[in-house]
Amino acid sequence: MNEKDTHKYDDIIHLPHHVSAKHPRMSLMNRAAQFSPFAALTGHSAAIQETARLTDAFIELNEDQKEQLDEQLQKLRGALSRNPEAEFTYFQPDQRKSGGTYVTVRGTVKKIDEYRRRILLMDGTMIPMEMLFSILQAGESS
């Protein structure tokens, strides 16, 4: 700065700071928010991750596979009084996009609900029969 500039504001430099009667003073938090980074693509990263998440397609069983599954269900029905243990693989549809994933659970069968078409395990797991892929009872080999 040169000497001319230092004298330029001499007449106002010592005046009190103006306070508006119309507009209340902005808090320091709100003032700071004005300068925070702007996120124009809020949620974009999450959307990309969701799109990239892979799902499996539901596999339609052929007649032989359906017959084997029915035989396994009959064995389970016959053994319900002995609380049979089995391993179930079934398709779990994805809630957000087409497809889903195959889940394998092992547990003790509590009930086979024919009306609702599901298998209930002692731990509370419910397996929809129309989504079953395989059943392996304890003591059997694949």
Side-chain angles (χ1 to χ4, degrees):
M1 275 207 287
N2 60 31
E3 192 175 319
K4 184 179 180 184
D5 290 336
T6 57
H7 300 293
K8 188 175 179 180
Y9 298 107
D10 281 347
D11 59 333
I12 62 169
I13 195 78
H14 296 291
L15 291 177
H17 180 74
H18 173 72
V19 178
S20 173
K22 282 186 177 179
H23 304 288
R25 188 174 179 119
M26 187 181 287
S27 71
L28 288 177
M29 181 72 89
N30 288 342
R31 278 185 59 79
Q34 292 183 76
F35 302 104
S36 65
F38 176 66
L41 299 175
T42 303
H44 182 67
S45 176
I48 289 174
Q49 286 178 338
E50 177 61 23
T51 302
R53 190 172 52 85
L54 298 177
T55 56
D56 295 320
F58 179 73
I59 299 169
E60 193 69 41
L61 300 178
N62 64 35
E63 290 305 313
D64 290 338
Q65 291 168 318
K66 287 178 183 178
E67 194 174 305
Q68 285 179 334
L69 208 52
D70 285 340
E71 287 174 14
Q72 290 297 326
L73 278 170
Q74 288 299 332
K75 286 181 187 178
L76 278 177
R77 284 183 191 98
L80 274 177
S81 62
R82 296 187 306 262
N83 297 327
E85 190 171 305
E87 184 177 278
F88 302 90
T89 300
Y90 65 99
F91 185 76
Q92 190 171 49
D94 195 289
Q95 300 297 320
R96 295 190 184 118
K97 60 198 278 188
S98 66
T101 186
Y102 279 89
V103 178
T104 300
V105 294
R106 177 177 282 278
T108 303
V109 180
K110 180 178 181 179
K111 178 181 177 183
I112 297 176
D113 187 344
E114 297 293 343
Y115 180 73
R116 291 192 174 118
R117 304 270 311 137
R118 62 186 183 182
I119 299 167
L120 302 167
L121 302 183
M122 291 288 191
D123 67 2
T125 303
M126 289 185 264
I127 302 167
M129 286 190 218
E130 67 273 5
M131 299 295 176
L132 270 174
F133 183 74
S134 69
I135 300 172
L136 182 62
Q137 287 188 43
E140 292 184 350
S141 60
S142 49

